[in-house]
Amino acid sequence: MTQPAPLPAPTGAAIGDAVDALRSARAAWRQRQSPARAAASFPSRGAIERIVLLLAGALYPRRLGEQRVAPAEEDRLVAAKLAAAFTELEREIGHELGYWQAEAQTAFAPDQAATIVRLFAASLGDIRRLIDSDVDAAFLGDPAAQSTDEILVCYPGAIASLHHRIAHPLYTLGAPIVARLISELANERTGIDIHPGATIGERFFIDHGTGVVIGETAVVGDGVRLYQHVTLGARSPLGAARHGPRDRYARHPVIGDDVVIYAGATILGRVTIGRGATIGGNVWLLRDVPPGGVVVQPEATLLAPAAGHALRDTLVAAEA
């Protein structure tokens, strides 16, 4: 069998031309950005991924810790993972603060990153309890689930929830880029895009989950269930329309307790969905729904045989 001829290696001139073109593109981009931001100071994506793995192992040492330890050794394992996670997290938050420093009105305190990590550490017990409530809700809501352990390890909704429960407090404490990197790791893995600024109550269950989008200022109550391809979004992008403080800081939906939103529903703007409401599949919704309300699309129509055959023939003729 004849082997294809190898491609010629790039010549020095080609590399030089590419370097020049990239330098020009970089210069044009940087001229449009804030020149004050420190280019060398930015959180590392790889470090954030390691931090999440360490924190997940500390939260669930027997299932996500990737080590088999006796119960008496759990605290030692958890302490080791937390020590490693906090060391890296403080460094990466420090990088983020350096990135923002020139735009801040005053200098960040020298121990600002350590303070954020300390406050975050104090929230880990609540983070674990919230994730537990999400896993329990999934187990109660999905008859296909064989165990809560299966949900924690395998279910996209639980994986996305774990990432969000870690990211949200970091976002509120003043590390939005670190938090956003954590949420994007979940998005890559599950197809579920939850902005770390979104406020989500306990017992949150995303069934299947692919394509779910939850915006920055969304507020989701307790016991809410979403299905795949649900969007809790804004009416229009900032900059595409005139906007005031409400549009800037409260532009996504408020979902009440015990609401169910079925697959493909799109809810846009600062609308309120009342407690216990049900939103049917593929609904496009721009207005409030009262407590207990039910919103659905018209049901599909089953045509009579003659009408069905005529429509099918029309479609076939159109494709010919």
Side-chain angles (χ1 to χ4, degrees):
M1 181 176 179
T2 304
Q3 296 295 325
L7 294 174
T11 65
I15 293 175
D17 290 344
V19 168
D20 291 342
L22 289 171
R23 185 191 314 111
S24 176
R26 288 197 307 273
W29 168 259
R30 289 170 181 170
Q31 189 173 12
R32 297 194 301 269
Q33 308 308 310
S34 170
R37 292 176 184 164
S41 183
F42 200 80
S44 160
R45 182 185 181 86
I48 298 302
E49 190 166 9
R50 290 192 300 273
I51 290 165
V52 171
L53 288 173
L54 289 165
L55 291 173
L59 287 163
Y60 293 92
R62 291 192 180 186
R63 293 293 174 262
L64 303 179
E66 298 183 354
Q67 294 185 33
R68 300 291 183 264
V69 296
E73 294 296 310
E74 276 191 337
D75 284 349
R76 181 189 60 78
L77 172 65
V78 168
K81 288 185 176 294
L82 289 179
F86 292 164
T87 298
E88 288 212 64
L89 183 59
E90 182 176 336
R91 182 176 63 247
E92 297 310 311
I93 293 175
H95 289 323
E96 175 168 351
L97 295 176
Y99 177 76
W100 296 120
Q101 181 59 81
E103 298 179 12
Q105 293 181 347
T106 59
F108 292 118
D111 64 345
Q112 182 77 10
T115 298
I116 291 174
V117 172
R118 185 172 66 253
L119 293 172
F120 172 74
S123 71
L124 282 175
D126 290 334
I127 289 173
R128 164 75 198 232
R129 284 185 285 272
L130 282 169
I131 299 169
D132 286 347
S133 77
D134 299 336
V135 170
D136 284 341
F139 186 66
L140 292 173
D142 186 0
Q146 302 299 309
S147 71
T148 53
D149 288 333
E150 175 192 4
I151 291 166
L152 175 66
V153 174
C154 302
Y155 274 42
I159 294 166
S161 170
L162 183 147
H163 282 72
H164 181 73
R165 300 304 190 185
I166 293 172
H168 181 68
L170 290 169
Y171 182 88
T172 60
L173 288 169
I177 295 176
V178 168
R180 193 60 185 264
L181 285 167
I182 293 171
S183 71
E184 286 309 305
L185 291 172
N187 188 10
E188 286 186 0
R189 185 172 173 186
T190 67
I192 297 170
D193 184 1
I194 307 176
H195 192 286
T199 301
I200 299 177
E202 62 186 36
R203 294 179 286 112
F204 181 54
F205 176 30
I206 305 177
D207 200 354
H208 303 294
T210 303
V212 166
V213 176
I214 302 176
E216 176 190 16
T217 65
V219 179
V220 179
D222 297 336
V224 171
R225 181 191 304 184
L226 308 182
Y227 287 81
Q228 64 271 25
H229 295 287
V230 165
T231 296
L232 305 180
R235 291 286 293 270
S236 62
L238 296 175
R242 296 182 64 181
H243 58 275
R246 177 181 173 87
D247 304 305
R248 176 63 181 88
Y249 297 109
R251 62 191 187 277
H252 297 97
V254 176
I255 311 298
D257 296 345
D258 303 315
V259 168
V260 179
I261 306 177
Y262 284 95
T266 298
I267 306 174
L268 301 180
R270 195 61 164 187
V271 300
T272 298
I273 310 301
R275 180 188 183 103
T278 299
I279 310 301
N282 298 317
V283 164
W284 177 273
L285 190 59
L286 303 175
R287 63 182 64 183
D288 293 347
V289 175
V294 178
V295 181
V296 296
Q297 290 275 37
E299 187 176 358
T301 301
L302 176 63
L303 297 176
H309 294 155
L311 177 60
R312 182 184 60 196
D313 293 342
T314 300
L315 294 174
V316 170
E319 294 175 355

